[in-house]
Amino acid sequence: MSSVFDAQYERFSTGAGFLAALDQSGGSTPKALRLYGVDESQYGNETEMFDLIHELRTRIITSPAFTSQRVLGAILFEQTVDREINGAPSAKYLWNELGIVPFLKIDKGLADLKDGVQVLKPIPTLQQQLDKANANEVFGTKERSLIKQANEAGIVAVVDQQFELADQVLDAGLVPIIEPEVDITAADKADSEAILRDQLLQHLDALPEARNVTLKLSLPSEAGFYSPLVEHDRVVRVVALSGGYSRDEANALLAKNPGVIASFSRALTQGLTAQQSDDEFNQTLDAAIESIYQASIAG
């Protein structure tokens, strides 16, 4: 392993803080821009849309509020890794200038619903993305599935696929973020979490020494439910997605789960708008980062 990877591993595995999820892709970018105060009339095509979302990400990352004192890492969309921030490749800027660990979203979205879940679509460009991650000194990857019902066959399929992909990521010398999200609106959410935890523990127990992964999970219905995962030797960190909760709701739930840190997207950018002055933007972002940081270290 490289000295950069070792330093990133030490920082991410032991540091205080949270992950900023700045990885909206083509499907979620229009909504992210609308929430930021930029509607579809303000861009004419996909290129202009991605230019605008990169401007937002750059504004966040270069804000004086966005520092390694509270932000451990950031998950980036592939196009963000391809672009620059202040004249430097985005991922290298995060690490070299800020000391923030970069991750790359590698999934290509969700397959159709089957057995109550949506597994990952095939990733035909996987090897190219892994090569790109290594070339840009990216530490790890992120890949999201979705569980909508407590269907054991479906959840087994999700976890099996996630760990198969994690093996390929680990073979490339990167640390995968395994993300089997549970829909927070599901009536049987707690039942899904019970099946999911059992499946995750089975796969984690089977991992060889030093084949370590990160888990990104929905905030559980029962406080502390994922503590066995937090404590597992093969788990670098357990991070939580906000999953549609408001920032206040997500922070309150997160604070009840010791050892779990945030990996928020919409809950992080809530309240930020293109119309704000730099001072207003930075103050709003600073308050958001502080509240998420405090919830992440509460345990």
Side-chain angles (χ1 to χ4, degrees), residues 4-20 68 70-75 95 99-103 139-141 174-178 212-216 234-240 259 261-263:
V4 170
F5 179 90
D6 291 341
Q8 291 174 340
Y9 194 99
E10 176 68 17
R11 169 77 184 134
F12 181 62
S13 62
T14 64
F18 67 93
L19 276 181
S68 61
R70 296 177 296 185
V71 182
L72 277 179
I75 306 171
W95 178 246
I100 292 173
V101 179
F103 293 81
F139 175 68
T141 65
L174 303 164
V175 174
I177 297 178
I178 291 170
N212 298 339
V213 302
T214 291
L215 302 176
K216 181 169 179 175
R234 298 282 70 79
V235 175
V236 184
R237 300 298 293 249
V238 176
V239 304
I261 64 173
S263 176

mmCIF file of all heavy atoms in Angstrom, residues 4-20 68 70-75 95 99-103 139-141 174-178 212-216 234-240 259 261-263:
data_model
loop_
_atom_site.group_PDB
_atom_site.id
_atom_site.type_symbol
_atom_site.label_atom_id
_atom_site.label_comp_id
_atom_site.label_asym_id
_atom_site.label_seq_id
_atom_site.Cartn_x
_atom_site.Cartn_y
_atom_site.Cartn_z
ATOM 1 N N VAL A 4 0.318 7.359 0.892
ATOM 2 C CA VAL A 4 -0.914 8.152 0.865
ATOM 3 C C VAL A 4 -2.075 7.320 1.392
ATOM 4 O O VAL A 4 -2.847 7.776 2.252
ATOM 5 C CB VAL A 4 -1.209 8.659 -0.560
ATOM 6 C CG1 VAL A 4 -2.619 9.264 -0.640
ATOM 7 C CG2 VAL A 4 -0.176 9.686 -0.989
ATOM 8 N N PHE A 5 -2.218 6.086 0.906
ATOM 9 C CA PHE A 5 -3.292 5.214 1.380
ATOM 10 C C PHE A 5 -3.181 4.998 2.884
ATOM 11 O O PHE A 5 -4.187 5.078 3.606
ATOM 12 C CB PHE A 5 -3.251 3.872 0.652
ATOM 13 C CG PHE A 5 -4.312 2.903 1.117
ATOM 14 C CD1 PHE A 5 -5.559 2.871 0.510
ATOM 15 C CD2 PHE A 5 -4.068 2.024 2.172
ATOM 16 C CE1 PHE A 5 -6.543 1.982 0.939
ATOM 17 C CE2 PHE A 5 -5.046 1.135 2.610
ATOM 18 C CZ PHE A 5 -6.293 1.120 1.993
ATOM 19 N N ASP A 6 -1.983 4.737 3.370
ATOM 20 C CA ASP A 6 -1.801 4.500 4.813
ATOM 21 C C ASP A 6 -2.217 5.717 5.628
ATOM 22 O O ASP A 6 -2.865 5.582 6.673
ATOM 23 C CB ASP A 6 -0.346 4.142 5.106
ATOM 24 C CG ASP A 6 0.040 2.775 4.567
ATOM 25 O OD1 ASP A 6 -0.854 1.960 4.289
ATOM 26 O OD2 ASP A 6 1.256 2.526 4.414
ATOM 27 N N ALA A 7 -1.845 6.896 5.155
ATOM 28 C CA ALA A 7 -2.212 8.116 5.872
ATOM 29 C C ALA A 7 -3.719 8.339 5.831
ATOM 30 O O ALA A 7 -4.339 8.740 6.829
ATOM 31 C CB ALA A 7 -1.482 9.317 5.268
ATOM 32 N N GLN A 8 -4.333 8.066 4.673
ATOM 33 C CA GLN A 8 -5.782 8.196 4.563
ATOM 34 C C GLN A 8 -6.501 7.186 5.451
ATOM 35 O O GLN A 8 -7.509 7.511 6.092
ATOM 36 C CB GLN A 8 -6.206 8.024 3.095
ATOM 37 C CG GLN A 8 -5.774 9.164 2.188
ATOM 38 C CD GLN A 8 -6.074 8.906 0.728
ATOM 39 O OE1 GLN A 8 -6.259 7.754 0.311
ATOM 40 N NE2 GLN A 8 -6.123 9.954 -0.076
ATOM 41 N N TYR A 9 -5.975 5.966 5.483
ATOM 42 C CA TYR A 9 -6.592 4.927 6.319
ATOM 43 C C TYR A 9 -6.554 5.336 7.791
ATOM 44 O O TYR A 9 -7.547 5.214 8.519
ATOM 45 C CB TYR A 9 -5.877 3.593 6.123
ATOM 46 C CG TYR A 9 -6.645 2.410 6.676
ATOM 47 C CD1 TYR A 9 -7.397 1.608 5.832
ATOM 48 C CD2 TYR A 9 -6.640 2.115 8.037
ATOM 49 C CE1 TYR A 9 -8.124 0.531 6.338
ATOM 50 C CE2 TYR A 9 -7.366 1.051 8.548
ATOM 51 C CZ TYR A 9 -8.113 0.261 7.692
ATOM 52 O OH TYR A 9 -8.840 -0.784 8.198
ATOM 53 N N GLU A 10 -5.417 5.826 8.227
ATOM 54 C CA GLU A 10 -5.280 6.258 9.626
ATOM 55 C C GLU A 10 -6.255 7.389 9.925
ATOM 56 O O GLU A 10 -6.930 7.388 10.959
ATOM 57 C CB GLU A 10 -3.844 6.715 9.881
ATOM 58 C CG GLU A 10 -3.585 7.277 11.270
ATOM 59 C CD GLU A 10 -3.672 6.229 12.374
ATOM 60 O OE1 GLU A 10 -3.623 5.028 12.077
ATOM 61 O OE2 GLU A 10 -3.797 6.639 13.556
ATOM 62 N N ARG A 11 -6.328 8.333 9.032
ATOM 63 C CA ARG A 11 -7.209 9.487 9.224
ATOM 64 C C ARG A 11 -8.675 9.061 9.281
ATOM 65 O O ARG A 11 -9.419 9.438 10.192
ATOM 66 C CB ARG A 11 -6.987 10.471 8.069
ATOM 67 C CG ARG A 11 -7.994 11.600 7.979
ATOM 68 C CD ARG A 11 -7.728 12.673 9.009
ATOM 69 N NE ARG A 11 -8.772 13.683 8.933
ATOM 70 C CZ ARG A 11 -9.394 14.171 9.990
ATOM 71 N NH1 ARG A 11 -9.101 13.782 11.193
ATOM 72 N NH2 ARG A 11 -10.329 15.093 9.841
ATOM 73 N N PHE A 12 -9.089 8.246 8.316
ATOM 74 C CA PHE A 12 -10.495 7.881 8.234
ATOM 75 C C PHE A 12 -10.900 6.923 9.344
ATOM 76 O O PHE A 12 -12.008 7.009 9.879
ATOM 77 C CB PHE A 12 -10.799 7.261 6.872
ATOM 78 C CG PHE A 12 -12.241 6.875 6.691
ATOM 79 C CD1 PHE A 12 -13.238 7.832 6.728
ATOM 80 C CD2 PHE A 12 -12.614 5.553 6.504
ATOM 81 C CE1 PHE A 12 -14.573 7.487 6.575
ATOM 82 C CE2 PHE A 12 -13.934 5.198 6.357
ATOM 83 C CZ PHE A 12 -14.923 6.175 6.381
ATOM 84 N N SER A 13 -10.028 6.021 9.712
ATOM 85 C CA SER A 13 -10.400 4.987 10.687
ATOM 86 C C SER A 13 -10.408 5.509 12.116
ATOM 87 O O SER A 13 -11.118 4.965 12.966
ATOM 88 C CB SER A 13 -9.461 3.786 10.575
ATOM 89 O OG SER A 13 -8.131 4.145 10.861
ATOM 90 N N THR A 14 -9.634 6.550 12.410
ATOM 91 C CA THR A 14 -9.493 7.001 13.793
ATOM 92 C C THR A 14 -9.964 8.425 14.043
ATOM 93 O O THR A 14 -10.138 8.825 15.194
ATOM 94 C CB THR A 14 -8.028 6.905 14.247
ATOM 95 O OG1 THR A 14 -7.231 7.807 13.473
ATOM 96 C CG2 THR A 14 -7.492 5.487 14.090
ATOM 97 N N GLY A 15 -10.171 9.204 12.988
ATOM 98 C CA GLY A 15 -10.479 10.623 13.170
ATOM 99 C C GLY A 15 -11.900 10.876 13.629
ATOM 100 O O GLY A 15 -12.796 10.052 13.476
ATOM 101 N N ALA A 16 -12.093 12.070 14.202
ATOM 102 C CA ALA A 16 -13.429 12.534 14.586
ATOM 103 C C ALA A 16 -13.996 13.365 13.442
ATOM 104 O O ALA A 16 -13.297 14.200 12.868
ATOM 105 C CB ALA A 16 -13.354 13.362 15.860
ATOM 106 N N GLY A 17 -15.260 13.135 13.124
ATOM 107 C CA GLY A 17 -15.881 13.885 12.048
ATOM 108 C C GLY A 17 -16.874 13.042 11.285
ATOM 109 O O GLY A 17 -17.370 12.033 11.788
ATOM 110 N N PHE A 18 -17.151 13.442 10.046
ATOM 111 C CA PHE A 18 -18.165 12.747 9.250
ATOM 112 C C PHE A 18 -17.799 12.820 7.776
ATOM 113 O O PHE A 18 -16.866 13.520 7.371
ATOM 114 C CB PHE A 18 -19.549 13.348 9.494
ATOM 115 C CG PHE A 18 -19.728 14.763 8.997
ATOM 116 C CD1 PHE A 18 -20.245 15.014 7.732
ATOM 117 C CD2 PHE A 18 -19.386 15.848 9.791
ATOM 118 C CE1 PHE A 18 -20.412 16.302 7.257
ATOM 119 C CE2 PHE A 18 -19.550 17.154 9.331
ATOM 120 C CZ PHE A 18 -20.053 17.381 8.067
ATOM 121 N N LEU A 19 -18.556 12.071 6.970
ATOM 122 C CA LEU A 19 -18.389 12.062 5.515
ATOM 123 C C LEU A 19 -19.409 13.000 4.869
ATOM 124 O O LEU A 19 -20.602 12.925 5.170
ATOM 125 C CB LEU A 19 -18.635 10.663 4.959
ATOM 126 C CG LEU A 19 -17.511 9.637 4.944
ATOM 127 C CD1 LEU A 19 -18.013 8.351 4.314
ATOM 128 C CD2 LEU A 19 -16.329 10.162 4.181
ATOM 129 N N ALA A 20 -18.927 13.856 3.988
ATOM 130 C CA ALA A 20 -19.817 14.683 3.183
ATOM 131 C C ALA A 20 -20.135 13.925 1.896
ATOM 132 O O ALA A 20 -19.223 13.568 1.150
ATOM 133 C CB ALA A 20 -19.147 16.010 2.859
ATOM 134 N N SER A 68 -10.866 19.792 7.595
ATOM 135 C CA SER A 68 -10.652 18.452 8.147
ATOM 136 C C SER A 68 -10.867 18.400 9.653
ATOM 137 O O SER A 68 -10.864 17.315 10.230
ATOM 138 C CB SER A 68 -9.243 17.965 7.813
ATOM 139 O OG SER A 68 -8.272 18.827 8.375
ATOM 140 N N ARG A 70 -13.594 18.929 11.051
ATOM 141 C CA ARG A 70 -14.914 18.331 11.259
ATOM 142 C C ARG A 70 -15.326 17.373 10.133
ATOM 143 O O ARG A 70 -16.185 16.514 10.350
ATOM 144 C CB ARG A 70 -15.972 19.443 11.401
ATOM 145 C CG ARG A 70 -15.760 20.315 12.623
ATOM 146 C CD ARG A 70 -16.771 21.441 12.713
ATOM 147 N NE ARG A 70 -16.647 22.389 11.606
ATOM 148 C CZ ARG A 70 -17.348 23.509 11.497
ATOM 149 N NH1 ARG A 70 -18.248 23.824 12.428
ATOM 150 N NH2 ARG A 70 -17.182 24.319 10.463
ATOM 151 N N VAL A 71 -14.738 17.513 8.964
ATOM 152 C CA VAL A 71 -15.081 16.670 7.822
ATOM 153 C C VAL A 71 -13.956 15.667 7.585
ATOM 154 O O VAL A 71 -12.836 16.044 7.259
ATOM 155 C CB VAL A 71 -15.319 17.512 6.548
ATOM 156 C CG1 VAL A 71 -15.734 16.609 5.387
ATOM 157 C CG2 VAL A 71 -16.374 18.589 6.797
ATOM 158 N N LEU A 72 -14.259 14.381 7.774
ATOM 159 C CA LEU A 72 -13.255 13.327 7.589
ATOM 160 C C LEU A 72 -13.031 12.998 6.126
ATOM 161 O O LEU A 72 -11.913 12.746 5.695
ATOM 162 C CB LEU A 72 -13.702 12.043 8.301
ATOM 163 C CG LEU A 72 -13.443 11.884 9.773
ATOM 164 C CD1 LEU A 72 -14.010 10.541 10.244
ATOM 165 C CD2 LEU A 72 -11.962 11.967 10.069
ATOM 166 N N GLY A 73 -14.116 12.937 5.371
ATOM 167 C CA GLY A 73 -14.016 12.507 3.990
ATOM 168 C C GLY A 73 -15.148 13.064 3.165
ATOM 169 O O GLY A 73 -16.105 13.650 3.690
ATOM 170 N N ALA A 74 -15.045 12.892 1.840
ATOM 171 C CA ALA A 74 -16.091 13.345 0.931
ATOM 172 C C ALA A 74 -16.255 12.315 -0.180
ATOM 173 O O ALA A 74 -15.265 11.822 -0.730
ATOM 174 C CB ALA A 74 -15.748 14.704 0.337
ATOM 175 N N ILE A 75 -17.513 11.980 -0.490
ATOM 176 C CA ILE A 75 -17.826 11.059 -1.584
ATOM 177 C C ILE A 75 -18.109 11.885 -2.827
ATOM 178 O O ILE A 75 -18.951 12.801 -2.796
ATOM 179 C CB ILE A 75 -19.035 10.178 -1.239
ATOM 180 C CG1 ILE A 75 -18.820 9.460 0.099
ATOM 181 C CG2 ILE A 75 -19.277 9.156 -2.343
ATOM 182 C CD1 ILE A 75 -20.060 8.739 0.613
ATOM 183 N N TRP A 95 -7.519 15.937 -0.578
ATOM 184 C CA TRP A 95 -6.531 15.319 0.310
ATOM 185 C C TRP A 95 -5.314 16.214 0.530
ATOM 186 O O TRP A 95 -4.906 16.457 1.670
ATOM 187 C CB TRP A 95 -6.105 13.962 -0.233
ATOM 188 C CG TRP A 95 -5.062 13.314 0.635
ATOM 189 C CD1 TRP A 95 -3.758 13.041 0.302
ATOM 190 C CD2 TRP A 95 -5.218 12.879 1.996
ATOM 191 N NE1 TRP A 95 -3.108 12.462 1.362
ATOM 192 C CE2 TRP A 95 -3.979 12.355 2.413
ATOM 193 C CE3 TRP A 95 -6.293 12.887 2.885
ATOM 194 C CZ2 TRP A 95 -3.776 11.845 3.699
ATOM 195 C CZ3 TRP A 95 -6.093 12.375 4.169
ATOM 196 C CH2 TRP A 95 -4.854 11.863 4.563
ATOM 197 N N GLY A 99 -6.718 17.769 3.627
ATOM 198 C CA GLY A 99 -6.588 16.618 4.515
ATOM 199 C C GLY A 99 -7.890 15.853 4.671
ATOM 200 O O GLY A 99 -8.105 15.169 5.681
ATOM 201 N N ILE A 100 -8.770 15.957 3.662
ATOM 202 C CA ILE A 100 -10.062 15.274 3.667
ATOM 203 C C ILE A 100 -9.986 14.088 2.721
ATOM 204 O O ILE A 100 -9.548 14.215 1.579
ATOM 205 C CB ILE A 100 -11.189 16.245 3.271
ATOM 206 C CG1 ILE A 100 -11.372 17.294 4.382
ATOM 207 C CG2 ILE A 100 -12.490 15.507 2.995
ATOM 208 C CD1 ILE A 100 -12.328 18.414 4.042
ATOM 209 N N VAL A 101 -10.406 12.912 3.187
ATOM 210 C CA VAL A 101 -10.227 11.647 2.457
ATOM 211 C C VAL A 101 -11.258 11.539 1.333
ATOM 212 O O VAL A 101 -12.470 11.590 1.587
ATOM 213 C CB VAL A 101 -10.363 10.453 3.419
ATOM 214 C CG1 VAL A 101 -10.198 9.135 2.669
ATOM 215 C CG2 VAL A 101 -9.341 10.554 4.554
ATOM 216 N N PRO A 102 -10.824 11.354 0.074
ATOM 217 C CA PRO A 102 -11.765 11.269 -1.045
ATOM 218 C C PRO A 102 -12.238 9.840 -1.331
ATOM 219 O O PRO A 102 -11.463 8.886 -1.263
ATOM 220 C CB PRO A 102 -10.956 11.810 -2.226
ATOM 221 C CG PRO A 102 -9.535 11.474 -1.892
ATOM 222 C CD PRO A 102 -9.422 11.461 -0.385
ATOM 223 N N PHE A 103 -13.524 9.734 -1.673
ATOM 224 C CA PHE A 103 -14.144 8.485 -2.115
ATOM 225 C C PHE A 103 -14.810 8.737 -3.464
ATOM 226 O O PHE A 103 -15.187 9.860 -3.785
ATOM 227 C CB PHE A 103 -15.217 8.016 -1.129
ATOM 228 C CG PHE A 103 -14.701 7.583 0.213
ATOM 229 C CD1 PHE A 103 -14.397 8.520 1.191
ATOM 230 C CD2 PHE A 103 -14.525 6.238 0.503
ATOM 231 C CE1 PHE A 103 -13.922 8.115 2.438
ATOM 232 C CE2 PHE A 103 -14.059 5.827 1.744
ATOM 233 C CZ PHE A 103 -13.756 6.774 2.705
ATOM 234 N N PHE A 139 -9.301 7.106 -1.898
ATOM 235 C CA PHE A 139 -9.135 6.082 -0.865
ATOM 236 C C PHE A 139 -10.082 4.904 -1.035
ATOM 237 O O PHE A 139 -9.727 3.749 -0.782
ATOM 238 C CB PHE A 139 -9.361 6.720 0.508
ATOM 239 C CG PHE A 139 -9.346 5.755 1.661
ATOM 240 C CD1 PHE A 139 -8.179 5.115 2.042
ATOM 241 C CD2 PHE A 139 -10.505 5.506 2.386
ATOM 242 C CE1 PHE A 139 -8.161 4.235 3.122
ATOM 243 C CE2 PHE A 139 -10.492 4.628 3.468
ATOM 244 C CZ PHE A 139 -9.320 3.998 3.834
ATOM 245 N N GLY A 140 -11.317 5.195 -1.460
ATOM 246 C CA GLY A 140 -12.309 4.130 -1.508
ATOM 247 C C GLY A 140 -13.441 4.448 -2.456
ATOM 248 O O GLY A 140 -13.456 5.474 -3.135
ATOM 249 N N THR A 141 -14.398 3.531 -2.506
ATOM 250 C CA THR A 141 -15.539 3.654 -3.409
ATOM 251 C C THR A 141 -16.836 3.590 -2.628
ATOM 252 O O THR A 141 -16.857 3.220 -1.446
ATOM 253 C CB THR A 141 -15.538 2.522 -4.444
ATOM 254 O OG1 THR A 141 -15.735 1.267 -3.767
ATOM 255 C CG2 THR A 141 -14.237 2.486 -5.226
ATOM 256 N N LEU A 174 -8.409 -0.504 -2.833
ATOM 257 C CA LEU A 174 -9.285 0.547 -2.332
ATOM 258 C C LEU A 174 -10.209 -0.017 -1.249
ATOM 259 O O LEU A 174 -10.364 -1.230 -1.133
ATOM 260 C CB LEU A 174 -10.131 1.111 -3.477
ATOM 261 C CG LEU A 174 -9.339 1.676 -4.674
ATOM 262 C CD1 LEU A 174 -10.262 1.841 -5.878
ATOM 263 C CD2 LEU A 174 -8.690 2.996 -4.312
ATOM 264 N N VAL A 175 -10.808 0.872 -0.467
ATOM 265 C CA VAL A 175 -11.727 0.461 0.594
ATOM 266 C C VAL A 175 -13.162 0.749 0.155
ATOM 267 O O VAL A 175 -13.521 1.907 -0.068
ATOM 268 C CB VAL A 175 -11.418 1.187 1.914
ATOM 269 C CG1 VAL A 175 -12.476 0.862 2.964
ATOM 270 C CG2 VAL A 175 -10.040 0.785 2.432
ATOM 271 N N PRO A 176 -14.008 -0.283 0.017
ATOM 272 C CA PRO A 176 -15.381 -0.068 -0.437
ATOM 273 C C PRO A 176 -16.298 0.417 0.684
ATOM 274 O O PRO A 176 -16.196 -0.022 1.824
ATOM 275 C CB PRO A 176 -15.813 -1.450 -0.912
ATOM 276 C CG PRO A 176 -15.012 -2.397 -0.061
ATOM 277 C CD PRO A 176 -13.691 -1.717 0.189
ATOM 278 N N ILE A 177 -17.177 1.339 0.320
ATOM 279 C CA ILE A 177 -18.318 1.677 1.182
ATOM 280 C C ILE A 177 -19.502 0.869 0.665
ATOM 281 O O ILE A 177 -20.036 1.134 -0.417
ATOM 282 C CB ILE A 177 -18.656 3.170 1.153
ATOM 283 C CG1 ILE A 177 -17.500 4.015 1.697
ATOM 284 C CG2 ILE A 177 -19.922 3.439 1.972
ATOM 285 C CD1 ILE A 177 -17.758 5.521 1.645
ATOM 286 N N ILE A 178 -19.897 -0.132 1.420
ATOM 287 C CA ILE A 178 -21.040 -0.981 1.095
ATOM 288 C C ILE A 178 -22.299 -0.274 1.602
ATOM 289 O O ILE A 178 -22.413 0.014 2.795
ATOM 290 C CB ILE A 178 -20.868 -2.358 1.757
ATOM 291 C CG1 ILE A 178 -19.706 -3.122 1.083
ATOM 292 C CG2 ILE A 178 -22.161 -3.155 1.729
ATOM 293 C CD1 ILE A 178 -19.298 -4.380 1.818
ATOM 294 N N ASN A 212 -10.816 -5.115 4.777
ATOM 295 C CA ASN A 212 -11.723 -4.315 5.593
ATOM 296 C C ASN A 212 -12.614 -3.424 4.740
ATOM 297 O O ASN A 212 -12.195 -2.917 3.687
ATOM 298 C CB ASN A 212 -10.928 -3.466 6.577
ATOM 299 C CG ASN A 212 -10.122 -4.311 7.538
ATOM 300 O OD1 ASN A 212 -10.420 -5.496 7.748
ATOM 301 N ND2 ASN A 212 -9.091 -3.736 8.118
ATOM 302 N N VAL A 213 -13.839 -3.222 5.202
ATOM 303 C CA VAL A 213 -14.835 -2.456 4.462
ATOM 304 C C VAL A 213 -15.463 -1.406 5.373
ATOM 305 O O VAL A 213 -15.368 -1.470 6.598
ATOM 306 C CB VAL A 213 -15.940 -3.371 3.901
ATOM 307 C CG1 VAL A 213 -15.355 -4.450 2.999
ATOM 308 C CG2 VAL A 213 -16.768 -4.008 5.017
ATOM 309 N N THR A 214 -16.109 -0.439 4.738
ATOM 310 C CA THR A 214 -16.946 0.528 5.446
ATOM 311 C C THR A 214 -18.402 0.222 5.099
ATOM 312 O O THR A 214 -18.703 -0.221 3.990
ATOM 313 C CB THR A 214 -16.566 1.962 5.033
ATOM 314 O OG1 THR A 214 -15.275 2.264 5.556
ATOM 315 C CG2 THR A 214 -17.557 2.988 5.548
ATOM 316 N N LEU A 215 -19.297 0.427 6.042
ATOM 317 C CA LEU A 215 -20.723 0.209 5.830
ATOM 318 C C LEU A 215 -21.453 1.541 5.907
ATOM 319 O O LEU A 215 -21.220 2.334 6.820
ATOM 320 C CB LEU A 215 -21.292 -0.739 6.900
ATOM 321 C CG LEU A 215 -20.649 -2.118 7.005
ATOM 322 C CD1 LEU A 215 -21.257 -2.883 8.183
ATOM 323 C CD2 LEU A 215 -20.822 -2.910 5.715
ATOM 324 N N LYS A 216 -22.327 1.782 4.930
ATOM 325 C CA LYS A 216 -23.187 2.971 4.949
ATOM 326 C C LYS A 216 -24.626 2.501 5.043
ATOM 327 O O LYS A 216 -25.132 1.839 4.120
ATOM 328 C CB LYS A 216 -22.967 3.835 3.700
ATOM 329 C CG LYS A 216 -23.824 5.101 3.695
ATOM 330 C CD LYS A 216 -23.407 6.072 2.601
ATOM 331 C CE LYS A 216 -24.302 7.308 2.606
ATOM 332 N NZ LYS A 216 -23.851 8.343 1.639
ATOM 333 N N ARG A 234 -13.556 -6.327 10.877
ATOM 334 C CA ARG A 234 -13.418 -6.110 9.434
ATOM 335 C C ARG A 234 -14.074 -4.799 8.970
ATOM 336 O O ARG A 234 -14.089 -4.500 7.789
ATOM 337 C CB ARG A 234 -14.035 -7.287 8.645
ATOM 338 C CG ARG A 234 -13.390 -8.641 8.882
ATOM 339 C CD ARG A 234 -12.079 -8.836 8.144
ATOM 340 N NE ARG A 234 -10.983 -8.027 8.645
ATOM 341 C CZ ARG A 234 -10.273 -8.296 9.731
ATOM 342 N NH1 ARG A 234 -10.536 -9.365 10.456
ATOM 343 N NH2 ARG A 234 -9.303 -7.499 10.116
ATOM 344 N N VAL A 235 -14.605 -4.025 9.901
ATOM 345 C CA VAL A 235 -15.299 -2.779 9.562
ATOM 346 C C VAL A 235 -14.433 -1.582 9.939
ATOM 347 O O VAL A 235 -14.051 -1.432 11.105
ATOM 348 C CB VAL A 235 -16.669 -2.704 10.260
ATOM 349 C CG1 VAL A 235 -17.338 -1.353 10.010
ATOM 350 C CG2 VAL A 235 -17.572 -3.836 9.778
ATOM 351 N N VAL A 236 -14.133 -0.754 8.933
ATOM 352 C CA VAL A 236 -13.353 0.458 9.187
ATOM 353 C C VAL A 236 -14.204 1.485 9.917
ATOM 354 O O VAL A 236 -13.829 1.989 10.972
ATOM 355 C CB VAL A 236 -12.811 1.055 7.874
ATOM 356 C CG1 VAL A 236 -11.918 2.261 8.155
ATOM 357 C CG2 VAL A 236 -12.052 0.015 7.064
ATOM 358 N N ARG A 237 -15.349 1.821 9.340
ATOM 359 C CA ARG A 237 -16.312 2.714 9.990
ATOM 360 C C ARG A 237 -17.709 2.288 9.577
ATOM 361 O O ARG A 237 -17.909 1.694 8.512
ATOM 362 C CB ARG A 237 -16.141 4.186 9.550
ATOM 363 C CG ARG A 237 -14.824 4.863 9.804
ATOM 364 C CD ARG A 237 -14.416 4.998 11.245
ATOM 365 N NE ARG A 237 -15.186 5.870 12.087
ATOM 366 C CZ ARG A 237 -14.738 7.041 12.590
ATOM 367 N NH1 ARG A 237 -13.553 7.508 12.222
ATOM 368 N NH2 ARG A 237 -15.449 7.740 13.452
ATOM 369 N N VAL A 238 -18.694 2.615 10.410
ATOM 370 C CA VAL A 238 -20.098 2.558 10.018
ATOM 371 C C VAL A 238 -20.571 4.003 9.895
ATOM 372 O O VAL A 238 -20.446 4.790 10.832
ATOM 373 C CB VAL A 238 -20.965 1.802 11.034
ATOM 374 C CG1 VAL A 238 -22.447 1.870 10.621
ATOM 375 C CG2 VAL A 238 -20.522 0.349 11.151
ATOM 376 N N VAL A 239 -21.086 4.331 8.708
ATOM 377 C CA VAL A 239 -21.585 5.679 8.473
ATOM 378 C C VAL A 239 -23.069 5.595 8.154
ATOM 379 O O VAL A 239 -23.562 4.565 7.687
ATOM 380 C CB VAL A 239 -20.804 6.387 7.341
ATOM 381 C CG1 VAL A 239 -19.314 6.395 7.654
ATOM 382 C CG2 VAL A 239 -21.037 5.726 5.987
ATOM 383 N N ALA A 240 -23.792 6.677 8.419
ATOM 384 C CA ALA A 240 -25.242 6.678 8.256
ATOM 385 C C ALA A 240 -25.657 7.676 7.196
ATOM 386 O O ALA A 240 -25.147 8.798 7.145
ATOM 387 C CB ALA A 240 -25.922 7.025 9.580
ATOM 388 N N GLY A 259 -20.702 5.362 17.894
ATOM 389 C CA GLY A 259 -19.752 4.792 16.951
ATOM 390 C C GLY A 259 -20.129 4.957 15.499
ATOM 391 O O GLY A 259 -19.315 4.692 14.610
ATOM 392 N N ILE A 261 -21.081 7.436 12.388
ATOM 393 C CA ILE A 261 -20.908 8.821 11.987
ATOM 394 C C ILE A 261 -21.759 9.114 10.758
ATOM 395 O O ILE A 261 -22.217 8.201 10.073
ATOM 396 C CB ILE A 261 -19.430 9.155 11.707
ATOM 397 C CG1 ILE A 261 -18.885 8.341 10.520
ATOM 398 C CG2 ILE A 261 -18.584 8.918 12.966
ATOM 399 C CD1 ILE A 261 -17.486 8.744 10.085
ATOM 400 N N ALA A 262 -21.964 10.384 10.479
ATOM 401 C CA ALA A 262 -22.828 10.779 9.372
ATOM 402 C C ALA A 262 -22.138 10.610 8.029
ATOM 403 O O ALA A 262 -20.921 10.744 7.907
ATOM 404 C CB ALA A 262 -23.266 12.231 9.547
ATOM 405 N N SER A 263 -22.950 10.337 7.017
ATOM 406 C CA SER A 263 -22.556 10.488 5.614
ATOM 407 C C SER A 263 -23.767 11.079 4.913
ATOM 408 O O SER A 263 -24.496 10.395 4.203
ATOM 409 C CB SER A 263 -22.153 9.150 4.989
ATOM 410 O OG SER A 263 -21.862 9.321 3.618
#
